Amino acid sequence: MNITLAQAEKMISVAKQKSTSLDTKMNIAIVDAGANLVAFGRMDGAWLGSLDISIKKAKTARYFDMNTGIIGELSQPAGPLYNIEHSNNGLITFPGGVPIKNKDGEIIGAIGVSGSSVENDHAVAEAGATAI
Amino acid sequence: MNITLAQAEKMISVAKQKSTSLDTKMNIAIVDAGANLVAFGRMDGAWLGSLDISIKKAKTARYFDMNTGIIGELSQPAGPLYNIEHSNNGLITFPGGVPIKNKDGEIIGAIGVSGSSVENDHAVAEAGATAI
Amino acid sequence: MNITLAQAEKMISVAKQKSTSLDTKMNIAIVDAGANLVAFGRMDGAWLGSLDISIKKAKTARYFDMNTGIIGELSQPAGPLYNIEHSNNGLITFPGGVPIKNKDGEIIGAIGVSGSSVENDHAVAEAGATAI
Amino acid sequence: MNITLAQAEKMISVAKQKSTSLDTKMNIAIVDAGANLVAFGRMDGAWLGSLDISIKKAKTARYFDMNTGIIGELSQPAGPLYNIEHSNNGLITFPGGVPIKNKDGEIIGAIGVSGSSVENDHAVAEAGATAI
């Protein structure tokens, strides 16, 4: 099972609406079950540096099938996954990456959002991930 | 002058239609005037290896403000730009990358398409580039 | 709106004077609105390792449109952006990177300075950024 | 013996004048005897993709202490240095990179120019290299 482009575009559309409702400008990336990019959109005026971060958040969420913020709790100094960010050409482990599941609960991809506070990033990612 | 996300999404939509009319499945990437990704879409079943190629085609077209195929003619063995592909973290110099101009003729970004023959890739890129 | 080479060279000139007045030797990098290098100068005897750091500081400041030191406060262990430095092929998040604005307050680029204490690096960057 | 920043800036100034006289817009990079960047300037409107190429030309010229075009003759298919461009994180071996010598004939750095035809690139590099 894999996410379709139509589903990914629907998620980006919903994520953009959520972003606008929060008065933010986001980079939004969707990867498939293979952690490869399916769709991407950078809202006008969004931070340029968040382009790469949004893609890395999506990949990180699919690499480990969990919200990125959970990994970030484990990767702190003295934590069990300290500096895991050095793997996979760079992980991003703060909030904003969320796995995407189909109606049977199977993970079919992930969404990564970056451009505001991590709370806003996560809220927009969650809105996108649950849009289908 | 820079391309907007709305313009980029319109181009991807038109490029997808052109791709379907050619019975192909494409990766479609749009970069802005700074050669940074604005929007991306990978059609269901499109070659996975074409993901990176489409992005590199878009960047290459903006890096030199010309169709990628023109550079490829100059980068052949014994040509004046032999092996230019080693620059900029990897160029793609066969057809499928096309600059995007506004109505005043200013370059505001570029589109890169990959997933079929280079003739089809170019035709889809051209359709996208002229959609606005 | 984008910085011109003449503006960038003026900033490097002023930054060099400031650096000399502080008895330091700096690497000074200027990027445009697309975060691509416009001008660079390495003062005689400046640290070689600061070459890459100055460029990364300039890019980081433009990537997020803020002084690099602000990001560094947020990327500490237990901070909301912990290990953000792994994105964008490496960020530098301690002081010395400053956005450059035109007279209308629009960001047209950024300056990055490295070669001494972070206080001196920031002071020289600030002198350069406000030279036009 | 190593090139100074003042010498490098003089070379960039002369190279810019030569570029303007040829009605071209260039990226101009100067490296020192250690093949590390000393100074750089991108003329307004110059190709963005030539940024990296100009730096790689300067490095290539110093790596082997000869004009880049000479290496390009040897790196062709069936040539003795076939595909040497894969080394050193990417060489550029067509014309536009020229070693810089002091008055005693010692190599103290190199200049790389990119933004037009290879003939123009080389002419501007030669003008810069002989400016001191």
Side-chain angles (χ1 to χ4, degrees):
Chain A
M1 293 298 295
N2 216 340
I3 194 170
T4 65
L5 177 55
Q7 290 174 315
E9 290 181 335
K10 170 70 174 171
M11 289 178 185
I12 288 182
S13 176
V14 170
K16 285 193 297 183
Q17 292 170 31
K18 179 69 175 179
S19 175
T20 300
S21 77
L22 293 170
D23 196 24
T24 61
K25 297 167 180 176
M26 298 294 195
N27 288 259
I28 306 157
I30 313 274
V31 299
D32 63 15
N36 298 298
L37 196 65
V38 174
F40 173 82
R42 175 156 51 96
M43 294 173 71
D44 301 339
W47 285 329
L48 196 52
S50 285
L51 194 177
D52 184 57
I53 291 175
S54 67
I55 295 175
K56 282 187 164 55
K57 283 182 180 176
K59 287 177 180 275
T60 299
R62 172 51 185 156
Y63 284 153
F64 302 103
D65 291 342
M66 62 182 79
N67 288 356
T68 49
I70 298 174
I71 302 167
E73 294 173 8
L74 303 172
S75 68
Q76 298 293 318
L81 303 183
Y82 175 56
N83 267 351
I84 190 174
E85 293 85 0
H86 287 267
S87 69
N88 296 286
N89 291 318
L91 300 178
I92 289 294
T93 61
F94 45 81
V98 174
I100 297 167
K101 298 178 181 176
N102 65 12
K103 60 180 164 47
D104 296 326
E106 297 166 323
I107 294 178
I108 58 172
I111 182 171
V113 174
S114 179
S116 178
S117 69
V118 294
E119 291 78 13
N120 283 339
D121 290 355
H122 178 74
V124 172
E126 192 67 32
T130 57
I132 58 167
Chain B
M1 293 299 294
N2 218 337
I3 194 169
T4 66
L5 177 54
Q7 291 174 315
E9 290 181 334
K10 170 70 174 171
M11 288 177 186
I12 287 183
S13 176
V14 170
K16 285 194 297 182
Q17 292 169 32
K18 179 69 174 180
S19 175
T20 299
S21 77
L22 293 171
D23 195 25
T24 62
K25 299 167 178 176
M26 297 294 195
N27 288 259
I28 306 156
I30 313 274
V31 300
D32 63 14
N36 297 298
L37 195 65
V38 174
F40 173 82
R42 175 157 52 95
M43 295 173 72
D44 302 338
W47 287 330
L48 195 52
S50 285
L51 194 176
D52 183 56
I53 291 174
S54 68
I55 296 174
K56 281 188 165 58
K57 282 183 181 176
K59 288 178 181 273
T60 299
R62 172 52 184 154
Y63 283 152
F64 302 102
D65 292 342
M66 63 181 78
N67 289 357
T68 48
I70 297 173
I71 302 167
E73 294 173 8
L74 303 172
S75 67
Q76 298 295 315
L81 304 183
Y82 177 57
N83 266 350
I84 190 175
E85 294 82 0
H86 288 266
S87 70
N88 294 287
N89 290 317
L91 300 177
I92 292 293
T93 59
F94 46 82
V98 173
I100 297 167
K101 298 179 181 176
N102 65 12
K103 60 181 163 48
D104 297 326
E106 298 166 324
I107 294 178
I108 59 173
I111 183 171
V113 174
S114 179
S116 178
S117 68
V118 294
E119 290 78 13
N120 284 338
D121 290 355
H122 177 74
V124 172
E126 192 68 32
T130 56
I132 58 167
Chain C
M1 294 297 296
N2 218 339
I3 194 169
T4 65
L5 177 55
Q7 290 174 315
E9 290 181 335
K10 170 71 174 170
M11 289 177 186
I12 288 182
S13 175
V14 170
K16 286 193 297 183
Q17 292 169 30
K18 180 69 174 179
S19 175
T20 299
S21 78
L22 294 170
D23 196 24
T24 61
K25 297 166 180 177
M26 297 296 195
N27 289 259
I28 306 156
I30 314 273
V31 298
D32 63 14
N36 297 299
L37 196 65
V38 174
F40 173 82
R42 176 156 52 95
M43 295 173 72
D44 300 339
W47 287 330
L48 195 51
S50 285
L51 193 176
D52 184 56
I53 292 174
S54 68
I55 295 174
K56 282 188 165 56
K57 282 182 179 176
K59 286 176 179 275
T60 299
R62 172 52 184 156
Y63 282 152
F64 303 101
D65 291 341
M66 62 182 77
N67 288 356
T68 49
I70 297 174
I71 302 167
E73 293 173 9
L74 302 172
S75 68
Q76 298 294 316
L81 304 183
Y82 176 56
N83 266 352
I84 192 175
E85 293 83 0
H86 289 265
S87 70
N88 294 289
N89 291 318
L91 300 177
I92 290 295
T93 60
F94 46 81
V98 174
I100 298 167
K101 297 178 180 175
N102 66 13
K103 61 179 164 48
D104 296 326
E106 298 166 322
I107 294 178
I108 58 173
I111 182 171
V113 174
S114 179
S116 177
S117 68
V118 294
E119 290 78 13
N120 284 339
D121 289 356
H122 177 73
V124 172
E126 192 69 32
T130 56
I132 58 167
Chain D
M1 293 297 295
N2 216 339
I3 193 170
T4 65
L5 178 55
Q7 290 174 314
E9 290 180 335
K10 170 69 174 171
M11 287 177 188
I12 287 182
S13 175
V14 169
K16 285 194 297 182
Q17 292 170 31
K18 179 67 175 181
S19 175
T20 300
S21 78
L22 293 171
D23 195 24
T24 62
K25 297 167 179 177
M26 297 294 195
N27 288 259
I28 305 156
I30 313 274
V31 299
D32 64 13
N36 297 297
L37 196 66
V38 174
F40 173 82
R42 175 156 52 97
M43 295 173 71
D44 301 340
W47 285 330
L48 196 51
S50 285
L51 194 176
D52 183 58
I53 292 175
S54 68
I55 296 174
K56 281 186 165 54
K57 282 182 180 175
K59 288 179 180 274
T60 299
R62 172 52 184 154
Y63 284 153
F64 303 102
D65 291 341
M66 61 183 79
N67 288 358
T68 48
I70 298 173
I71 302 167
E73 294 173 9
L74 303 173
S75 69
Q76 298 293 319
L81 304 183
Y82 176 55
N83 267 351
I84 190 174
E85 293 84 0
H86 286 267
S87 70
N88 296 287
N89 290 318
L91 300 178
I92 290 293
T93 60
F94 45 82
V98 173
I100 297 167
K101 298 179 181 177
N102 65 12
K103 59 179 165 49
D104 296 326
E106 297 166 322
I107 294 178
I108 59 173
I111 182 171
V113 174
S114 179
S116 178
S117 68
V118 295
E119 290 78 16
N120 283 338
D121 290 354
H122 178 73
V124 172
E126 192 67 33
T130 55
I132 57 168

